[in-house]
Amino acid sequence: QVLLVESGGDLVQAGGSLRLSCAASGITFSLYAMAWYRQAPGKQRELIASITNGGSTNYADSVKGRFSISRDNAKNTVYLQMDSLKPEDTAIYYCNADRVRISTRIQYWGQGTQVTVSS
């Protein structure tokens, strides 16, 4: 059974920081690209940060310079360090594992963790 379990969501004041974690089990973690998505009320889910199995990272413009994604393959965990948080960062944050195997895309999702930023 594949599980992605996010943690670290909280209520924080604007300008503050949070660190989200996503612990994976049931997959060969090092083979997967990992990503963080978020979904605010009434909006579509958006990709905000990704990291390949080789460690290359990419960020949405809205979080570039404020958020940092990293992974620890020994712990099967991906992290999202969020600094200088803004009220518009309020959303449910989801962890995603993604790989292509024999021309088939395989994706798994976590259950999400709530981040609320107060002004």
Side-chain angles (χ1 to χ4, degrees):
Q1 181 186 9
V2 177
L3 285 177
L4 299 178
V5 180
E6 301 99 333
S7 61
D10 206 344
L11 170 65
V12 64
Q13 287 190 330
S17 297
L18 283 176
R19 188 193 196 203
L20 305 184
S21 300
C22 171
S25 59
I27 60 172
T28 304
F29 183 78
S30 61
L31 296 180
Y32 283 76
M34 302 298 296
W36 287 94
Y37 289 71
R38 69 184 181 188
Q39 187 166 19
K43 295 188 176 182
Q44 288 190 329
R45 190 174 297 191
E46 63 170 338
L47 172 63
I48 57 168
S50 62
I51 184 166
T52 67
N53 56 355
S56 297
T57 59
N58 202 11
Y59 299 92
D61 288 343
S62 58
V63 306
K64 201 171 291 184
R66 300 187 298 122
F67 291 10
S68 178
I69 188 171
S70 61
R71 65 189 295 160
D72 185 337
N73 288 345
K75 295 183 178 179
N76 289 356
T77 300
V78 61
Y79 305 97
L80 184 69
Q81 177 66 40
M82 305 187 294
D83 298 320
S84 302
L85 283 161
K86 304 175 181 180
E88 51 263 44
D89 294 319
T90 295
I92 300 174
Y93 284 69
Y94 297 92
C95 175
N96 171 270
D98 189 356
R99 72 174 290 204
V100 175
R101 183 173 182 271
I102 315 176
S103 302
T104 300
R105 189 175 190 183
I106 303 169
Q107 287 197 80
Y108 299 104
W109 292 91
Q111 82 290 347
T113 186
Q114 177 71 48
V115 171
T116 304
V117 184
S118 64
S119 56

